[in-house]
Amino acid sequence: MATRDNWWKSSYSGPGDGDSCVEIADCHPRVAIRDSKNPAHGTLTFPTTTFATFLDALKSPGRTGR
């Protein structure tokens, strides 16, 4: 699994609600995701290609945000 040093949060997670974010780690060939407030409570992992498709869908025009 990911080491302590390779977890990162978005630069958009500033003060205040910024601590309510997820952290991501590149664990090739998978991507790991965890809650930044409770990192020891579990991790989800996805194949890198699946996570890339997810990110592309978030960035796509016409996304409603729901």
Side-chain angles (χ1 to χ4, degrees):
M1 188 46 65
T3 65
R4 180 180 179 156
D5 295 333
N6 63 353
W7 288 99
W8 59 274
K9 277 196 292 189
S10 168
S11 59
Y12 290 99
S13 59
D17 288 337
D19 62 352
S20 300
C21 291
V22 294
E23 295 176 315
I24 299 172
D26 183 5
C27 304
H28 193 73
R30 300 185 72 78
V31 173
I33 303 170
R34 68 183 183 185
D35 182 343
S36 63
K37 294 185 314 279
N38 297 305
H41 283 210
T43 302
L44 297 173
T45 63
F46 301 93
T48 303
T49 54
T50 301
F51 190 71
T53 301
F54 170 71
L55 291 179
D56 288 342
L58 290 176
K59 297 175 191 175
S60 68
R63 183 177 163 271
T64 63
R66 293 182 188 186

